[in-house]
Amino acid sequence: MIPRDQHPISRKQISRAALNVLYGLHEAGFDAFLVGGCLRDILTGIQPKDFDVVTNATPEEVECLFRRARIIGRRFRLVHVRFGPEVIEVATFRALGEPGDSDSSHSREGQILRDNVYGNIEEDALRRDFTVNALYYNIADFALYDFAGSMQDIQNKTLRLMGDPAQRYREDPVRMIRAVRFAAKLDFDIDPDTEAPIHELAPLMQQVPPARLFDEMLKLFLGGHAAYTLELLQDYGLFDALFPATAETLQDSDQRLLEAAMHNTDRRLAQDKPVTPAFLFAVLLWAPMRHLLERYQDDGMPPSVALNKASGHVIAEQVSTIAIPRRFSSVVREIWDLQPRLPRRHGNRAAQLVSHPRFRAAYDFLLLREEAGEIPPGLGQWWTDYQDADEDTREAMAAAAAKGAPAGNSGTGRKRRRRRRRGGAEGGASGGNNA
Ligand code: ATP
Ligand code: MG
């Protein structure tokens, strides 16, 4: 126990809503603690994005105490207490059933299936993932409770799993991606023992429900550190487990596309610009889509049919690992569908394309493909200029494009190769693709 005068956490750093919940529980005679990420973040100098509370009150008791409280969750029963826009998650202390318990709380592979046995605070600490996530702040005396050397690990910027790492990953393989996510977010190192089993156990990711992996994906890539996260995922073999088809077909230009897109995402988030998961998945699955598209076209399938089929197949395969909701996968397909249409700008096609609801995303995607060197530059700039231009200039640009003015080429690798094989029949060095 670290008393108030020996640690730097003060109530000023805790949100009003969290304090309301803590005091509400305390005044009703229950134990009430802040726990986990919020304390870790405060101690690391990061503004916590949410506050989690633990108590010895049962979910029903918590629900009775607060007006806007609601029990949620099946695997874990939690209470969400709402104050204005803020939601405080309140959990009851839980213990970890041992693997092999007769209550079938574990699968044969050691994965936790149910985890709702109530316990005391020490047991609650032991079932948490990393030591840095297992710190408690008591509202009764403002003391910190550190059961696992949490303070030391936060100071040393070290991510260390509680207990035996391999066993903890088997219990819940998502902990492997959490290790990467926290390493990237906090700029912490993963302790060697915690790091060691990841490569070998990465394939366990296949056992995680796809819907949960989708949620984790968003946290991984929309947390503001996507570029570093991607690097770590690839280093640890987790990327291959999460995106097997991509890992199998990834070319140098696809890798550059991924990196450019992740940097771009981080930049947009830093500027408070919107980012959509659809764009990320369009990037992440572009390599296998292109690969398959090429194969179908080699088999003589017409380009639009091939694109449609390849898109459908790649997405259908990916959702067996990561559930991409249809509202996103349909946008992924639109972004892809627009790629071969972007070079065709004659007549009123350019005007139509610009007003397409996915034009902007497709254009951003095109810019990334050019940046990655997958296609020669030019077309992106043309569209940049076109969007900036007035009506008359736009018409002139479209007319010039119809005559075959140079503007790069946004076709797929397949098309480019075919053109090359024809011995540059279209002539010129522009690679224009206006036919
Ligand atoms: P952030 O909110 O910044 O993502 P966090 O640490 O608050 O980080 P949450 O996913 O909100 O992460 O989880 C809250 C707490 O619950 C964690 O700090 C950790 O103590 C515990 N926890 C979450 N997921 C797991 C897990 N898979 N295994 C064990 N404990 C976990
Ligand atoms: Mg949290």
Side-chain angles (χ1 to χ4, degrees):
M1 191 193 70
I2 307 164
R4 172 63 192 98
D5 56 2
Q6 285 168 41
H7 70 74
I9 302 233
S10 98
R11 272 166 292 167
K12 285 197 208 72
Q13 295 155 304
I14 302 168
S15 77
R16 192 64 246 166
L19 287 171
N20 282 343
V21 171
L22 290 166
Y23 281 123
L25 288 163
H26 179 63
E27 279 155 23
F30 295 110
D31 294 340
F33 293 81
L34 278 182
V35 64
C38 56
L39 300 172
R40 174 203 70 211
D41 285 354
I42 292 173
L43 290 168
T44 318
I46 297 173
Q47 172 75 38
K49 67 175 168 42
D50 45 42
F51 290 86
D52 296 321
V53 169
V54 273
T55 177
N56 58 352
T58 64
E60 290 74 17
E61 287 170 329
V62 176
E63 195 184 29
C64 285
L65 276 179
F66 301 98
R67 209 160 47 85
R68 301 181 64 197
R70 200 162 62 86
I71 296 182
I72 59 137
R74 267 172 302 169
R75 200 160 86 103
F76 316 128
R77 295 178 70 234
L78 301 167
V79 187
H80 275 177
V81 185
R82 200 173 279 278
F83 284 98
E86 213 180 327
V87 177
I88 304 298
E89 208 168 273
V90 185
T92 306
F93 292 134
R94 285 198 299 268
L96 184 68
E98 284 297 313
D101 270 4
S102 56
D103 69 352
S104 74
S105 61
H106 290 76
S107 72
R108 238 181 318 157
E109 291 80 21
Q111 208 178 333
I112 296 186
L113 301 177
R114 279 183 291 112
D115 178 18
N116 48 16
V117 185
Y118 296 140
N120 59 33
I121 186 169
E122 270 184 86
E123 291 168 320
D124 190 86
L126 287 177
R127 61 153 201 97
R128 293 191 177 265
D129 48 4
F130 299 96
T131 58
V132 301
N133 287 345
L135 213 52
Y136 295 74
Y137 171 87
N138 191 354
I139 199 64
D141 58 6
F142 314 125
L144 277 182
Y145 287 59
D146 179 352
F147 300 97
S150 304
M151 287 296 264
Q152 181 111 50
D153 281 341
I154 291 173
Q155 253 152 34
N156 298 337
K157 293 174 162 282
T158 300
L159 286 165
R160 186 192 316 277
L161 268 180
M162 315 265 293
D164 174 58
Q167 186 193 328
R168 301 303 313 278
Y169 292 136
R170 286 211 173 84
E171 283 172 2
D172 183 2
V174 165
R175 288 171 186 151
M176 293 187 264
I177 18 189
R178 286 174 63 84
V180 161
R181 178 157 72 82
F182 292 132
K185 167 183 165 164
L186 306 165
D187 203 18
F188 279 21
D189 287 325
I190 306 178
D191 181 73
D193 289 340
T194 295
E195 186 173 48
I198 297 184
H199 234 284
E200 197 189 318
L201 298 181
L204 292 181
M205 220 53 80
Q206 282 300 328
Q207 298 169 10
V208 179
R212 184 165 174 221
L213 280 186
F214 177 76
D215 294 342
E216 291 298 325
M217 280 326 295
L218 300 191
K219 292 191 210 164
L220 275 175
F221 290 122
L222 300 179
H225 307 276
Y228 188 29
T229 299
L230 173 74
E231 190 185 324
L232 292 174
L233 287 176
Q234 292 188 318
D235 283 354
Y236 287 115
L238 291 166
F239 187 82
D240 295 41
L242 292 168
F243 295 96
T246 308
E248 218 169 276
T249 50
L250 200 72
Q251 316 249 313
D252 289 348
S253 70
D254 300 311
Q255 177 68 24
R256 288 194 295 270
L257 177 77
L258 283 180
E259 289 170 16
M262 297 309 165
H263 280 296
N264 194 39
T265 301
D266 291 340
R267 217 164 23 239
R268 291 182 68 95
L269 286 168
Q271 298 165 351
D272 279 325
K273 288 190 190 164
V275 289
T276 158
F279 191 82
L280 281 174
F281 281 100
V283 168
L284 285 159
L285 299 174
W286 181 241
M289 200 294 281
R290 232 160 38 92
H291 187 80
L292 204 55
L293 172 64
E294 209 168 297
R295 244 184 49 199
Y296 288 156
Q297 284 189 256
D298 279 340
D299 291 347
M301 215 181 270
S304 63
V305 180
L307 180 68
N308 189 41
K309 238 187 119 177
S311 310
H313 184 85
V314 165
I315 289 170
E317 210 175 51
Q318 182 63 41
V319 297
S320 70
T321 309
I322 301 175
I324 311 168
R326 206 166 290 276
R327 66 181 185 282
F328 295 127
S329 61
S330 64
V331 177
V332 171
R333 297 182 68 149
E334 285 180 294
I335 293 171
W336 289 345
D337 282 344
L338 284 170
Q339 295 310 304
R341 290 172 58 190
L342 288 170
R344 302 201 289 263
R345 293 150 291 159
H346 57 283
N348 58 359
R349 279 170 174 259
Q352 277 173 0
L353 279 174
V354 162
S355 61
H356 190 288
R358 302 301 166 215
F359 171 78
R360 195 63 209 193
Y363 158 76
D364 286 340
F365 195 82
L366 174 76
L367 292 181
L368 287 177
R369 292 173 62 209
E370 289 191 355
E371 190 184 330
E374 182 209 316
I375 49 173
L379 186 59
Q381 187 59 48
W382 190 93
W383 279 109
T384 307
D385 297 341
Y386 185 85
Q387 290 173 79
D388 288 343
D390 58 32
E391 251 350 280
D392 290 347
T393 317
R394 283 186 174 196
E395 267 175 42
M397 287 178 77
K403 290 202 199 89
N409 160 19
S410 108
T412 63
R414 176 73 191 90
K415 276 188 190 157
R416 249 188 314 157
R417 217 176 291 162
R418 180 151 60 196
R419 199 159 32 244
R420 244 183 270 127
R421 233 181 279 143
R422 280 179 188 164
E426 286 172 63
S430 71
N433 185 19
N434 311 301

